[in-house]
Amino acid sequence: MDTHPERLARGEWYLDGDELQARRRQCWRLLDTFNAAAADEDEVRRKTLLAMLGSAGEGAVVVPRFQCTYGTNIQLGESAFVNANAFFMDDAPICIGAHARLGPGAQLMTALHPVEDHARRREGWEQVLPISIGENTWLGASVTVGAGVTIGRNTVIGAGSVVLRDIPDHVVAVGTPATVIRHLPVEGDAAGPL
């Protein structure tokens, strides 16, 4: 018989239990250390981040206060930047591309609950879908990204937007739900720095 952690790992409907709770507590202990480090204890934060996350590329930065569910399902690309008060519900994989910038208060939420089956929702059933943020993408302050969403590379999501469906490369998207409002030059086609 499948265990609920195995069902979670496969993206199937599952229930929470002791094993998953123990995994979350382990992550939260590391978060306590990360978030409590003094302002000049960069090495403490870096070592704790490396112990907590699935991977963190060279130069990746996460600003406290940071919260996540398990930590091990998060991959930060090279020079990715996550500003203060971000929350990553990493029940499923969350992949942040190299040089991506996430504004303060960003929320990446991989969990879903039953919509039409009221009894299963009452019992606490969940399902998770991964989130992927492309290389050199910028999420403005307080952007929320929903389960199963992929945001393309060199894309900008306006502050306060709620992203519930995939967003392509090289666009600006804003609103709730976020919709594309303009296209950006393909990298290499731009006029150059301001």
Side-chain angles (χ1 to χ4, degrees):
M1 183 174 175
D2 287 339
T3 66
H4 286 282
E6 290 169 336
R7 294 173 63 88
L8 163 64
R10 290 194 303 267
E12 299 172 3
W13 291 101
Y14 73 96
L15 288 169
D16 195 17
D18 293 343
E19 184 177 342
L20 294 174
Q21 290 170 14
R23 290 181 191 177
R24 288 195 302 273
R25 283 192 194 96
Q26 180 179 356
C27 175
W28 296 345
R29 286 191 214 53
L30 292 168
L31 283 167
D32 286 344
T33 301
F34 178 85
N35 288 316
D40 59 353
E41 292 183 318
D42 295 332
E43 191 58 27
V44 170
R45 276 190 298 281
R46 180 73 181 165
K47 284 182 179 177
T48 306
L49 200 62
L50 291 173
M52 180 174 37
L53 301 185
S55 66
E58 185 68 32
V61 173
V62 176
V63 178
R65 189 153 176 94
F66 177 65
Q67 295 297 127
C68 60
T69 308
Y70 296 100
T72 54
N73 291 322
I74 299 170
Q75 297 177 16
L76 293 180
E78 175 185 345
S79 298
F81 180 82
V82 179
N83 213 327
N85 298 315
F87 175 59
F88 290 8
M89 182 182 283
D90 67 309
D91 299 36
I94 293 177
C95 186
I96 309 295
H99 305 283
R101 304 264 183 248
L102 280 65
Q107 298 185 63
L108 280 57
M109 315 302 250
T110 63
L112 299 166
H113 298 278
V115 173
E116 295 180 5
D117 190 333
H118 307 301
R120 284 176 65 95
R121 187 171 62 247
R122 187 174 292 111
E123 293 165 0
W125 287 89
E126 295 182 63
Q127 181 184 35
V128 297
L129 296 171
I131 291 174
S132 179
I133 309 296
E135 178 185 348
N136 200 38
T137 286
W138 172 27
L139 306 186
S142 300
V143 166
T144 299
V145 179
V149 168
T150 295
I151 298 175
R153 64 190 302 268
N154 291 319
T155 285
V156 176
I157 307 296
S161 296
V162 178
V163 186
L164 300 176
R165 60 182 171 267
D166 292 353
I167 303 290
D169 298 346
H170 302 101
V171 298
V172 176
V174 299
T176 302
T179 56
V180 173
I181 60 166
R182 75 183 237 225
H183 292 268
L184 299 172
V186 173
E187 192 165 18
D189 293 347
L194 299 176

